[in-house]
């Protein structure tokens, strides 16, 4: 019952409104789907791209910092394994202390003086106290590796000097650097809502940058190191934590950016996309109105023309309420009239076509074709283009034997000439990609057969044997 009502309602709607609804559905639904998918795709990719750009900048700067770390690691190692220094630290005398002072001054002047972050270098005998040494834990003093520590915005690089024979501690080296200048390249990262933390192997903060005009309180390092799914929630705000980068001295660089900042970068593009999609929807609506009006007008004009033909007809169709139904009735009326005429003229029309075909076949005169091909042949010879000349001759032979002066019966020799000409043309078309061997008995050449018996067989062999294998 409901289906019948729906059908009745649909049949009563004008064709213009049907077309308009169809066009709008077909046009707007794909636009909405495309807009939704594009929004999600662009938002995700823009976020990933922004984070990748920040991470790339961090990696570039971390590379520079690693170069500094490598320089100081190599420098302090060269000093620690210097044989002259080993001799000076093994025996503590006034003369050796003065020589040690000159040794330090030489290092400063040759390797450290021009480095902006350099503050001081100390080389001390084993057991000699200093405030910097107290900052290095006892277990670190027994290590052969270089120890990096930071305190009061100063970086301390510590390394023991071992006797080259007994491997006992005979002294230590301390290089003091300005942390702000050492990590100064990281200040070039000017992203709003961005934070960077440098932590040592004990996960203690050694350096940090916080670039946010709105958020004066920054998340703690522990929040970043313990972040779940790379997300930190702090003071009702969400931060995206990027993958940590390890420095060559076992320190680690961690960074995060405010999620609102990422959204603010994406929003202009999203707004532009929304404007584009809204423009597409408006365009689709306008085109739908114009198209539906144009098509319905043509249908109405056609309907008016058909109605003029069926004024005396008894053909009627019930429940016709829209233009399509009326058009259907008119077309059916015309078809009935046409069938009546066809029933009377069918046999006579077939006979007329047969007679016309036979008359046309008997009137075919191939002389124009042969003369044209002969002219092409001579032009090719005069142009010294024997390939075109050969093709013209083969094509002339092919049509001469194919037409056979209108006779159905031909000799085997003519049939062979027809096939050979056809194969020669096909070899040119296929770039001589196949070869043909002929095994013929000329004693049968004068026998007669039906014209064009062999050529379709050869054509079928070329199409299904060579063309498909190449394709």
């Amino acid at each position: 019952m409901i289906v019948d009502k729906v059908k009745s309602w649909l049949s009563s709607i004008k064709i213009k409104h049907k077309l308009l609804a169809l066009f709008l559905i077909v046009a707007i639904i794909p636009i909405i789907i495309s807009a939704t998918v594009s929004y999600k795709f662009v938002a995700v990719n823009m976020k990933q791209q922004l984070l990748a750009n920040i991470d790339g900048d961090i990696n570039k700067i971390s590379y520079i910092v690693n170069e500094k770390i490598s320089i100081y690691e190599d420098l302090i190692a060269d000093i620690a394994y210097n044989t002259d220094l080993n001799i000076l630290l093994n025996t503590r005398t006034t003369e050796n202390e003065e020589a040690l002072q000159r040794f330090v001054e030489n290092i400063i002047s040759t390797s450290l003086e021009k480095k902006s972050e350099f503050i001081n270098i100390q080389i001390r005998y084993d057991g000699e106290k200093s405030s910097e040494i107290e900052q290095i834990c006892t277990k670190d003093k027994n290590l052969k590796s270089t120890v990096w520590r930071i305190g009061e915005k100063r970086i301390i690089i510590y390394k023991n000097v071992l006797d080259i024979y007994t491997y006992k501690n005979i002294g230590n080296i301390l290089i003091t650097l300005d942390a702000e200048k050492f990590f100064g390249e990281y200040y070039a990262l000017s992203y709003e809502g961005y934070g960077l933390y440098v932590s040592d192997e004990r996960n203690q903060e050694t350096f940090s940058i916080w670039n946010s005009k709105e958020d004066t309180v920054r998340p703690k390092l522990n929040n970043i190191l313990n972040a779940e799914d790379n997300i930190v929630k702090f003071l009702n705000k969400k931060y995206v934590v990027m993958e940590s980068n390890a420095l060559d001295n076992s320190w680690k660089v961690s960074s995060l950016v405010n999620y609102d900042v990422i959204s603010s970068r994406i929003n202009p593009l999203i707004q532009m996309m929304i404007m584009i999609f809204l423009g597409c929807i408006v365009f689709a609506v306008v085109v739908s109105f114009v198209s539906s009006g144009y098509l319905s007008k043509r249908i109405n004009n056609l309907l008016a023309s058909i109605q003029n033909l069926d004024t005396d007809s008894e053909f009627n169709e019930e429940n016709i309420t829209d233009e399509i139904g009326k058009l259907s009735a008119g077309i059916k009326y015309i078809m009935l009239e046409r069938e009546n005429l066809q029933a009377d003229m069918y046999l006579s029309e077939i006979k007329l076509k047969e007679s016309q075909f036979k008359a046309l076949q008997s009137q075919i005169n191939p002389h124009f074709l042969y003369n044209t091909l002969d002219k092409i042949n001579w032009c090719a010879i005069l142009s010294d283009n024997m390939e075109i000349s050969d093709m013209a001759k083969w094509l002339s032979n092919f049509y001469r034997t194919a037409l056979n002066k209108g006779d159905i019966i031909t000799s085997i020799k003519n049939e062979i000439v027809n096939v050979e000409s056809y194969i020669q043309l096909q070899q040119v078309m296929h770039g001589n990609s196949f070869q043909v061997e002929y095994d013929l008995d000329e004693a049968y050449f004068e026998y007669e057969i039906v014209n064009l018996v062999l050529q379709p067989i050869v054509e079928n062999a070329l199409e299904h044997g060579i063309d498909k294998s190449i394709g």
Side-chain angles (χ1 to χ4, degrees):
M1 189 69 178
I2 297 177
V3 175
D4 293 336
K5 289 184 178 180
V6 172
K7 288 183 178 179
S8 177
W9 176 72
L10 289 175
S11 64
S12 64
I13 300 175
K14 297 294 183 181
I15 187 65
K16 178 178 180 180
H17 299 149
K18 291 179 181 177
L19 290 173
L20 178 59
L22 178 63
F23 289 157
L24 290 176
I25 291 173
V26 171
I28 293 178
I29 289 180
I31 291 175
I32 294 175
I33 294 175
S34 300
T36 304
V37 174
S38 299
Y39 170 78
K40 293 184 178 180
F41 178 80
V42 170
V44 171
N45 279 271
M46 282 287 292
K47 172 186 172 184
Q48 292 177 347
Q49 184 62 46
L50 178 61
L51 295 178
N53 291 340
I54 297 175
D55 189 58
D57 292 340
I58 294 173
N59 287 335
K60 291 177 183 178
I61 296 175
S62 295
Y63 177 81
I64 299 173
V65 173
N66 276 328
E67 288 289 322
K68 292 183 180 181
I69 292 173
S70 178
I71 290 172
Y72 283 105
E73 288 272 0
D74 293 341
L75 176 63
I76 201 169
D78 290 342
I79 297 172
Y81 297 118
N82 186 282
T83 54
D84 293 337
L85 178 63
N86 208 267
I87 294 172
L88 295 175
L89 293 178
N90 260 305
T91 305
R92 186 170 186 177
T93 64
T94 303
E95 184 179 352
N96 283 352
E97 289 181 354
E98 293 175 353
L100 180 61
Q101 183 62 33
R102 291 193 296 272
F103 182 85
V104 170
E105 291 173 353
N106 182 60
I107 293 173
I108 294 174
S109 62
T110 57
S111 304
L112 298 171
E113 190 174 33
K114 294 182 179 181
K115 298 186 182 300
S116 61
E117 68 274 3
F118 171 72
I119 296 177
N120 187 25
I121 179 173
Q122 302 175 48
I123 300 178
R124 298 179 179 274
Y125 290 92
D126 185 44
E128 191 173 354
K129 303 293 183 179
S130 71
S131 59
E132 290 86 356
I133 293 178
E134 295 299 328
Q135 296 180 31
I136 310 299
C137 61
T138 305
K139 62 179 182 178
D140 288 336
K141 290 181 64 177
N142 296 324
L143 294 177
K144 297 180 181 179
S145 61
T146 304
V147 179
W148 291 70
R149 289 289 178 265
I150 191 167
E152 298 180 356
K153 297 184 179 181
R154 291 191 176 188
I155 297 174
I156 299 173
I157 311 173
Y158 174 88
K159 188 174 183 63
N160 289 322
V161 181
L162 304 180
D163 185 273
I164 59 176
Y165 300 106
T166 63
Y167 297 102
K168 293 181 180 180
N169 289 347
I170 59 175
N172 51 72
I173 307 169
L174 293 98
I175 300 178
T176 306
L177 306 176
D178 187 313
E180 295 285 333
K181 294 181 179 179
F182 187 83
F183 294 111
E185 283 79 6
Y186 285 116
Y187 285 106
L189 300 171
S190 57
Y191 299 100
E192 172 62 25
Y194 167 80
L196 179 139
Y197 302 78
V198 179
S199 56
D200 59 19
E201 67 276 9
R202 299 171 298 178
N203 290 332
Q204 294 183 357
E205 183 179 321
T206 60
F207 177 78
S208 65
I209 295 175
W210 184 249
N211 186 23
S212 177
K213 298 177 181 178
E214 298 181 359
D215 306 327
T216 56
V217 181
R218 61 184 178 88
K220 296 181 180 179
L221 178 62
N222 289 335
N223 299 130
I224 300 172
L225 299 178
N226 299 322
E228 295 182 2
D229 299 327
N230 294 331
I231 297 294
V232 171
K233 293 183 178 179
F234 184 76
L235 296 180
N236 298 323
K237 291 191 176 181
K238 187 165 63 173
Y239 297 87
V240 179
V241 178
M242 287 170 283
E243 186 176 351
S244 300
N245 299 296
L247 297 176
D248 291 346
N249 62 347
S250 300
W251 288 3
K252 185 166 56 178
V253 179
S254 304
S255 55
L256 76 167
V257 63
N258 192 324
Y259 193 84
D260 294 336
V261 174
I262 298 176
S263 299
S264 66
R265 294 288 187 92
I266 299 174
N267 286 339
L269 181 60
I270 298 301
Q271 292 172 359
M272 183 179 69
M273 289 180 58
I274 292 174
M275 295 299 296
I276 292 174
F277 282 117
L278 288 177
C280 292
I281 291 176
V282 171
F283 178 77
V285 171
V286 172
V287 171
S288 298
F289 270 103
V290 174
S291 300
S292 61
Y294 173 72
L295 291 176
S296 62
K297 182 179 179 181
R298 292 186 62 189
I299 293 174
N300 287 326
N301 292 338
L302 179 61
L303 178 61
S305 300
I306 294 175
Q307 286 175 337
N308 292 331
L309 297 176
D310 65 353
T311 52
D312 299 328
S313 174
E314 295 181 358
F315 179 85
N316 291 307
E317 186 174 336
E318 297 180 354
N319 300 324
I320 298 176
T321 57
D322 67 353
E323 295 88 347
I324 292 294
K326 295 178 182 179
L327 181 62
S328 176
I331 292 175
K332 287 182 179 179
Y333 166 74
I334 293 174
M335 293 301 296
L336 287 173
E337 290 296 312
R338 183 182 178 185
E339 288 175 1
N340 292 333
L341 292 174
Q342 287 179 339
D344 297 333
M345 299 177 62
Y346 181 74
L347 294 176
S348 59
E349 186 176 354
I350 292 177
K351 291 180 181 179
L352 178 61
K353 289 183 178 180
E354 289 180 352
S355 62
Q356 289 175 346
F357 177 78
K358 290 181 180 180
L360 180 63
Q361 187 179 31
S362 63
Q363 292 175 4
I364 293 177
N365 188 349
H367 290 299
F368 173 75
L369 176 63
Y370 298 150
N371 291 337
T372 303
L373 292 174
D374 184 66
K375 180 65 176 177
I376 294 173
N377 178 33
W378 278 107
C379 289
I381 293 173
L382 293 175
S383 301
D384 199 25
N385 194 329
M386 301 310 297
E387 184 177 4
I388 295 178
S389 173
D390 292 337
M391 290 180 67
K393 288 189 291 185
W394 294 332
L395 188 60
S396 177
N397 290 337
F398 174 79
Y399 278 108
R400 177 177 57 78
T401 53
L403 294 175
N404 196 31
K405 298 180 180 179
D407 294 334
I408 299 177
I409 304 300
T410 187
S411 65
I412 293 179
K413 181 177 181 181
N414 283 342
E415 191 73 0
I416 295 300
V417 171
N418 178 268
V419 171
E420 288 179 340
S421 300
Y422 177 77
I423 291 174
Q424 292 285 2
L425 291 169
Q426 287 291 345
Q427 282 183 318
V428 173
M429 293 171 63
H430 287 79
N432 294 314
S433 61
F434 65 93
Q435 296 180 347
V436 180
E437 295 182 2
Y438 297 88
D439 186 8
L440 306 172
D441 189 346
E442 296 182 2
Y444 296 95
F445 275 15
E446 300 304 321
Y447 284 80
E448 294 183 339
I449 60 173
V450 178
N451 191 28
L452 292 179
V453 171
L454 297 179
Q455 190 272 336
I457 298 174
V458 174
E459 182 179 2
N460 187 65
L462 289 173
E463 180 180 354
H464 296 280
I466 294 178
D467 292 341
K468 287 189 176 181
S469 64
I470 295 175

